[in-house]
Amino acid sequence: MSDGVSRDKNHQYDETPSNTPEGTLYVVATPIGNLDDVSDRMRHTLGRVNRIAAEDTRRTKQLLSHIGVDTPCFSFHDHNERQKLDWIVQMLKSGESLALVSDAGTPLISDPGYSLVRALRQQSLKVVSVPGPCALVAALSIAGLPSDRFVFEGFLPNKSSARLSYLQKMAHETSTTIFYESSHRIRACIEDMSTIFDSDRQIVIARELTKTFETVLQGNAESLLETLRNDPNQSKGEFVVLVGGEKPQLDELSPDVTQLAKTLSEHLPKKLAAKITSETFTVKKKPIYEFLLEQ
Ligand code: SAM
């Protein structure tokens, strides 16, 4: 093959945009920092489609000029996704093929495109993936946390109160949980994690993946918070935060423990009641506090 597309002999791709009456939407992943992560198939697809739907056309044009492609782009983002749906469907039905790209990484992963792909699937129009970089997968692959099962939560809420209650709901998640985070909130996010998660909960912060200042920090929330406080550079850039799953609780709270906690909480704040009970019975404070919250 001379067109740069590698083909498995058992799987015949046909990437020619005009070979069927209806066009195809190619969902194309782009680099998350390092432009050397551009694949031949990505370059080839972006060069052959009729148009590219781009989250930010200026950013995509920079990438296109880097790879020597001049396919026309139009803007397609969270605020115009629904308006442009019918127009895109018409283009595909008239035989044009399109690529969907976001600013970085895999479209639809905390990025626009879901409504479009769903609509095309409902109308049995062809959607093909051109896979590549994705920050959550890159982070999980190097974090050293269990990767057999994981939960991706995207961005946490902006406000601390909402973030705390969100984290509280997932305090007992046993799979590795993955979040995206920005430089504005990374410290506040880890601070809230230190309130919710026990000190034996492993956390990994993967920063600036594939870029010059790629850094991976690991520890519990308190130790990571200290690192962020001591080194302001560690709060710069883009982040994936991974939280190891809670270890199964082998020791259920005994009736003696719950009884004391309940009695104390009738006279004291729940936090203090949990602390005294945990010290009295030498058991973990968090499950007692949660038990009292549930009461
Ligand atoms: N669709 C993208 C993907 O496939 O990863 C994610 C888009 S989301 C709007 C952007 C967020 O992804 C950033 O705020 C950051 O949390 C994460 N991210 C993107 N690039 C990253 C990188 N190079 N290193 C660490 N995190 C990154």
Short mmCIF file of all heavy atoms in Angstrom, two decimals, residues 192-234:
data_model
loop_
_atom_site.label_atom_id
_atom_site.label_comp_id
_atom_site.label_asym_id
_atom_site.label_seq_id
_atom_site.Cartn_x
_atom_site.Cartn_y
_atom_site.Cartn_z
N ASP A 192 -9.35 18.84 49.02
CA ASP A 192 -10.64 18.19 49.32
C ASP A 192 -10.48 16.68 49.40
O ASP A 192 -11.14 16.02 50.22
CB ASP A 192 -11.68 18.57 48.25
CG ASP A 192 -12.14 20.01 48.41
OD1 ASP A 192 -11.86 20.60 49.47
OD2 ASP A 192 -12.75 20.54 47.48
N MET A 193 -9.60 16.12 48.57
CA MET A 193 -9.38 14.67 48.65
C MET A 193 -8.79 14.30 50.02
O MET A 193 -9.09 13.25 50.57
CB MET A 193 -8.46 14.21 47.52
CG MET A 193 -9.17 14.19 46.18
SD MET A 193 -8.15 13.54 44.87
CE MET A 193 -9.34 13.51 43.52
N SER A 194 -7.96 15.22 50.57
CA SER A 194 -7.35 14.91 51.87
C SER A 194 -8.42 14.91 52.98
O SER A 194 -8.26 14.25 54.00
CB SER A 194 -6.22 15.88 52.20
OG SER A 194 -6.75 17.12 52.55
N THR A 195 -9.51 15.65 52.76
CA THR A 195 -10.61 15.63 53.74
C THR A 195 -11.40 14.33 53.65
O THR A 195 -11.85 13.79 54.65
CB THR A 195 -11.58 16.81 53.46
OG1 THR A 195 -10.82 18.00 53.42
CG2 THR A 195 -12.67 16.91 54.48
N ILE A 196 -11.56 13.83 52.43
CA ILE A 196 -12.47 12.69 52.23
C ILE A 196 -11.77 11.34 52.33
O ILE A 196 -12.30 10.40 52.91
CB ILE A 196 -13.16 12.80 50.84
CG1 ILE A 196 -13.97 14.10 50.74
CG2 ILE A 196 -14.03 11.58 50.55
CD1 ILE A 196 -15.14 14.20 51.69
N PHE A 197 -10.57 11.23 51.76
CA PHE A 197 -9.96 9.90 51.66
C PHE A 197 -9.03 9.62 52.83
O PHE A 197 -8.30 10.50 53.29
CB PHE A 197 -9.17 9.77 50.34
CG PHE A 197 -10.05 9.87 49.12
CD1 PHE A 197 -9.75 10.77 48.10
CD2 PHE A 197 -11.16 9.07 48.98
CE1 PHE A 197 -10.56 10.86 46.98
CE2 PHE A 197 -11.98 9.15 47.86
CZ PHE A 197 -11.68 10.06 46.86
N ASP A 198 -9.06 8.37 53.30
CA ASP A 198 -8.15 7.94 54.36
C ASP A 198 -6.71 8.05 53.88
O ASP A 198 -6.44 8.04 52.67
CB ASP A 198 -8.43 6.47 54.73
CG ASP A 198 -9.58 6.38 55.73
OD1 ASP A 198 -9.67 7.26 56.61
OD2 ASP A 198 -10.39 5.43 55.61
N SER A 199 -5.78 8.10 54.85
CA SER A 199 -4.38 8.33 54.47
C SER A 199 -3.75 7.12 53.77
O SER A 199 -2.69 7.24 53.19
CB SER A 199 -3.56 8.71 55.70
OG SER A 199 -3.70 7.69 56.65
N ASP A 200 -4.44 5.96 53.78
CA ASP A 200 -3.86 4.82 53.05
C ASP A 200 -4.33 4.77 51.59
O ASP A 200 -3.99 3.86 50.84
CB ASP A 200 -4.19 3.49 53.76
CG ASP A 200 -5.68 3.24 53.85
OD1 ASP A 200 -6.47 4.13 53.44
OD2 ASP A 200 -6.07 2.15 54.32
N ARG A 201 -5.08 5.77 51.17
CA ARG A 201 -5.58 5.81 49.78
C ARG A 201 -4.49 6.38 48.88
O ARG A 201 -4.07 7.54 49.06
CB ARG A 201 -6.83 6.69 49.77
CG ARG A 201 -7.79 6.40 48.68
CD ARG A 201 -8.54 5.12 48.90
NE ARG A 201 -9.54 4.96 47.85
CZ ARG A 201 -10.81 5.25 48.00
NH1 ARG A 201 -11.28 5.67 49.16
NH2 ARG A 201 -11.64 5.11 46.98
N GLN A 202 -4.03 5.61 47.90
CA GLN A 202 -2.96 6.04 46.98
C GLN A 202 -3.53 6.98 45.91
O GLN A 202 -4.54 6.67 45.28
CB GLN A 202 -2.35 4.83 46.29
CG GLN A 202 -1.28 4.13 47.10
CD GLN A 202 -0.11 5.07 47.42
OE1 GLN A 202 0.56 5.56 46.53
NE2 GLN A 202 0.10 5.32 48.70
N ILE A 203 -2.83 8.09 45.71
CA ILE A 203 -3.25 9.05 44.67
C ILE A 203 -2.06 9.32 43.75
O ILE A 203 -0.92 9.41 44.21
CB ILE A 203 -3.76 10.36 45.30
CG1 ILE A 203 -5.00 10.05 46.16
CG2 ILE A 203 -4.09 11.41 44.25
CD1 ILE A 203 -5.62 11.23 46.85
N VAL A 204 -2.33 9.42 42.45
CA VAL A 204 -1.28 9.74 41.48
C VAL A 204 -1.71 10.99 40.71
O VAL A 204 -2.85 11.09 40.28
CB VAL A 204 -1.04 8.56 40.51
CG1 VAL A 204 -0.10 8.96 39.38
CG2 VAL A 204 -0.50 7.34 41.26
N ILE A 205 -0.78 11.94 40.59
CA ILE A 205 -1.04 13.13 39.76
C ILE A 205 -0.13 13.04 38.55
O ILE A 205 1.10 13.07 38.68
CB ILE A 205 -0.74 14.44 40.53
CG1 ILE A 205 -1.56 14.51 41.83
CG2 ILE A 205 -1.04 15.64 39.66
CD1 ILE A 205 -1.27 15.77 42.66
N ALA A 206 -0.73 12.91 37.36
CA ALA A 206 0.05 12.84 36.12
C ALA A 206 -0.08 14.20 35.43
O ALA A 206 -1.18 14.59 35.04
CB ALA A 206 -0.48 11.72 35.22
N ARG A 207 1.04 14.91 35.31
CA ARG A 207 1.02 16.30 34.81
C ARG A 207 1.73 16.39 33.47
O ARG A 207 2.76 15.74 33.28
CB ARG A 207 1.74 17.16 35.86
CG ARG A 207 1.85 18.63 35.52
CD ARG A 207 2.41 19.41 36.68
NE ARG A 207 3.86 19.36 36.71
CZ ARG A 207 4.66 20.31 36.26
NH1 ARG A 207 4.15 21.40 35.73
NH2 ARG A 207 5.96 20.20 36.33
N GLU A 208 1.16 17.18 32.57
CA GLU A 208 1.83 17.53 31.30
C GLU A 208 2.33 16.28 30.54
O GLU A 208 3.47 16.25 30.06
CB GLU A 208 2.99 18.48 31.59
CG GLU A 208 2.58 19.86 32.08
CD GLU A 208 1.92 20.69 31.00
OE1 GLU A 208 0.70 20.56 30.84
OE2 GLU A 208 2.61 21.43 30.30
N LEU A 209 1.45 15.30 30.44
CA LEU A 209 1.84 14.05 29.77
C LEU A 209 2.30 14.30 28.34
O LEU A 209 1.68 15.10 27.62
CB LEU A 209 0.65 13.08 29.77
CG LEU A 209 0.27 12.57 31.15
CD1 LEU A 209 -1.12 11.92 31.11
CD2 LEU A 209 1.30 11.58 31.66
N THR A 210 3.33 13.64 27.95
CA THR A 210 3.98 13.70 26.62
C THR A 210 4.69 15.03 26.36
O THR A 210 5.21 15.25 25.27
CB THR A 210 3.01 13.42 25.44
OG1 THR A 210 2.20 14.59 25.18
CG2 THR A 210 2.11 12.22 25.67
N LYS A 211 4.68 15.95 27.33
CA LYS A 211 5.30 17.27 27.11
C LYS A 211 6.62 17.37 27.88
O LYS A 211 6.96 16.48 28.66
CB LYS A 211 4.36 18.38 27.56
CG LYS A 211 2.98 18.33 26.91
CD LYS A 211 2.19 19.55 27.29
CE LYS A 211 0.72 19.25 27.32
NZ LYS A 211 -0.08 20.37 27.78
N THR A 212 7.29 18.50 27.72
CA THR A 212 8.62 18.69 28.32
C THR A 212 8.62 18.49 29.83
O THR A 212 9.53 17.90 30.38
CB THR A 212 9.12 20.13 28.01
OG1 THR A 212 8.94 20.35 26.63
CG2 THR A 212 10.57 20.31 28.40
N PHE A 213 7.58 19.02 30.50
CA PHE A 213 7.59 18.96 31.97
C PHE A 213 6.71 17.84 32.52
O PHE A 213 6.12 17.97 33.59
CB PHE A 213 7.20 20.32 32.56
CG PHE A 213 8.21 21.39 32.20
CD1 PHE A 213 7.91 22.36 31.27
CD2 PHE A 213 9.48 21.36 32.76
CE1 PHE A 213 8.85 23.32 30.91
CE2 PHE A 213 10.43 22.31 32.40
CZ PHE A 213 10.12 23.30 31.48
N GLU A 214 6.64 16.75 31.77
CA GLU A 214 5.85 15.60 32.26
C GLU A 214 6.35 15.18 33.64
O GLU A 214 7.55 15.01 33.85
CB GLU A 214 5.97 14.42 31.29
CG GLU A 214 5.29 13.18 31.82
CD GLU A 214 5.11 12.07 30.78
OE1 GLU A 214 4.87 12.36 29.60
OE2 GLU A 214 5.22 10.90 31.19
N THR A 215 5.43 15.08 34.59
CA THR A 215 5.77 14.69 35.97
C THR A 215 4.70 13.74 36.49
O THR A 215 3.51 13.95 36.22
CB THR A 215 5.74 15.91 36.92
OG1 THR A 215 6.31 17.03 36.27
CG2 THR A 215 6.46 15.64 38.21
N VAL A 216 5.12 12.74 37.23
CA VAL A 216 4.14 11.86 37.89
C VAL A 216 4.45 11.86 39.38
O VAL A 216 5.55 11.50 39.80
CB VAL A 216 4.20 10.43 37.31
CG1 VAL A 216 3.21 9.52 38.04
CG2 VAL A 216 3.91 10.43 35.82
N LEU A 217 3.50 12.36 40.18
CA LEU A 217 3.66 12.38 41.64
C LEU A 217 2.75 11.31 42.23
O LEU A 217 1.63 11.12 41.77
CB LEU A 217 3.26 13.73 42.21
CG LEU A 217 4.00 14.98 41.72
CD1 LEU A 217 3.36 16.23 42.31
CD2 LEU A 217 5.47 14.90 42.10
N GLN A 218 3.24 10.65 43.28
CA GLN A 218 2.37 9.67 43.92
C GLN A 218 2.49 9.77 45.44
O GLN A 218 3.52 10.21 45.95
CB GLN A 218 2.72 8.25 43.45
CG GLN A 218 4.14 7.85 43.76
CD GLN A 218 4.54 6.58 43.01
OE1 GLN A 218 4.08 6.35 41.90
NE2 GLN A 218 5.39 5.79 43.64
N GLY A 219 1.45 9.41 46.13
CA GLY A 219 1.45 9.45 47.60
C GLY A 219 0.02 9.51 48.09
O GLY A 219 -0.91 9.27 47.31
N ASN A 220 -0.16 9.86 49.38
CA ASN A 220 -1.54 10.08 49.81
C ASN A 220 -1.86 11.57 49.64
O ASN A 220 -0.97 12.36 49.28
CB ASN A 220 -1.79 9.56 51.24
CG ASN A 220 -0.94 10.28 52.27
OD1 ASN A 220 -0.45 11.38 52.02
ND2 ASN A 220 -0.77 9.68 53.42
N ALA A 221 -3.11 11.92 49.88
CA ALA A 221 -3.52 13.30 49.57
C ALA A 221 -2.70 14.32 50.37
O ALA A 221 -2.30 15.35 49.82
CB ALA A 221 -5.02 13.45 49.85
N GLU A 222 -2.46 14.01 51.66
CA GLU A 222 -1.72 14.98 52.49
C GLU A 222 -0.31 15.22 51.94
O GLU A 222 0.14 16.36 51.85
CB GLU A 222 -1.58 14.49 53.94
CG GLU A 222 -2.81 14.70 54.80
CD GLU A 222 -3.75 13.51 54.72
OE1 GLU A 222 -3.36 12.49 54.06
OE2 GLU A 222 -4.86 13.57 55.25
N SER A 223 0.40 14.14 51.60
CA SER A 223 1.79 14.31 51.14
C SER A 223 1.82 15.03 49.78
O SER A 223 2.69 15.86 49.53
CB SER A 223 2.52 12.96 51.07
OG SER A 223 1.99 12.18 50.03
N LEU A 224 0.82 14.75 48.94
CA LEU A 224 0.79 15.43 47.63
C LEU A 224 0.49 16.92 47.80
O LEU A 224 1.06 17.77 47.12
CB LEU A 224 -0.25 14.77 46.72
CG LEU A 224 0.11 13.37 46.24
CD1 LEU A 224 -1.06 12.73 45.53
CD2 LEU A 224 1.32 13.42 45.31
N LEU A 225 -0.39 17.20 48.75
CA LEU A 225 -0.73 18.61 49.01
C LEU A 225 0.51 19.37 49.46
O LEU A 225 0.76 20.50 49.02
CB LEU A 225 -1.82 18.64 50.10
CG LEU A 225 -2.52 19.97 50.32
CD1 LEU A 225 -3.13 20.49 49.03
CD2 LEU A 225 -3.60 19.80 51.38
N GLU A 226 1.29 18.72 50.29
CA GLU A 226 2.52 19.37 50.76
C GLU A 226 3.47 19.63 49.57
O GLU A 226 4.05 20.72 49.47
CB GLU A 226 3.20 18.45 51.78
CG GLU A 226 4.04 19.23 52.76
CD GLU A 226 4.64 18.28 53.79
OE1 GLU A 226 3.87 17.43 54.30
OE2 GLU A 226 5.85 18.39 54.04
N THR A 227 3.60 18.64 48.69
CA THR A 227 4.46 18.84 47.51
C THR A 227 3.97 20.02 46.67
O THR A 227 4.75 20.85 46.22
CB THR A 227 4.47 17.56 46.64
OG1 THR A 227 4.80 16.46 47.48
CG2 THR A 227 5.44 17.66 45.49
N LEU A 228 2.65 20.10 46.47
CA LEU A 228 2.09 21.20 45.66
C LEU A 228 2.33 22.55 46.34
O LEU A 228 2.59 23.54 45.68
CB LEU A 228 0.59 21.00 45.42
CG LEU A 228 0.15 19.77 44.61
CD1 LEU A 228 -1.35 19.80 44.37
CD2 LEU A 228 0.88 19.68 43.28
N ARG A 229 2.24 22.56 47.68
CA ARG A 229 2.46 23.81 48.41
C ARG A 229 3.92 24.25 48.32
O ARG A 229 4.21 25.42 48.16
CB ARG A 229 2.08 23.64 49.87
CG ARG A 229 0.57 23.69 50.08
CD ARG A 229 0.24 23.71 51.56
NE ARG A 229 -1.19 23.72 51.77
CZ ARG A 229 -1.84 22.93 52.61
NH1 ARG A 229 -1.18 22.06 53.35
NH2 ARG A 229 -3.14 23.02 52.75
N ASN A 230 4.81 23.27 48.40
CA ASN A 230 6.24 23.60 48.42
C ASN A 230 6.81 23.94 47.04
O ASN A 230 7.84 24.58 46.94
CB ASN A 230 7.05 22.42 49.00
CG ASN A 230 6.75 22.25 50.47
OD1 ASN A 230 6.27 23.19 51.12
ND2 ASN A 230 7.00 21.06 51.01
N ASP A 231 6.16 23.44 45.99
CA ASP A 231 6.70 23.65 44.65
C ASP A 231 5.59 24.14 43.72
O ASP A 231 4.88 23.33 43.12
CB ASP A 231 7.31 22.33 44.14
CG ASP A 231 7.89 22.48 42.74
OD1 ASP A 231 7.82 23.60 42.18
OD2 ASP A 231 8.42 21.48 42.22
N PRO A 232 5.43 25.46 43.59
CA PRO A 232 4.33 26.01 42.77
C PRO A 232 4.36 25.51 41.32
O PRO A 232 3.31 25.47 40.67
CB PRO A 232 4.56 27.52 42.84
CG PRO A 232 5.43 27.74 44.03
CD PRO A 232 6.26 26.51 44.21
N ASN A 233 5.53 25.12 40.82
CA ASN A 233 5.58 24.61 39.44
C ASN A 233 4.72 23.35 39.26
O ASN A 233 4.25 23.07 38.16
CB ASN A 233 7.02 24.27 39.04
CG ASN A 233 7.79 25.53 38.73
OD1 ASN A 233 7.20 26.52 38.30
ND2 ASN A 233 9.10 25.50 38.98
N GLN A 234 4.54 22.62 40.36
CA GLN A 234 3.76 21.38 40.26
C GLN A 234 2.27 21.63 40.07
O GLN A 234 1.51 20.68 39.85
CB GLN A 234 3.99 20.50 41.52
CG GLN A 234 5.40 19.98 41.67
CD GLN A 234 5.85 19.16 40.47
OE1 GLN A 234 5.07 18.48 39.82
NE2 GLN A 234 7.14 19.24 40.16
#
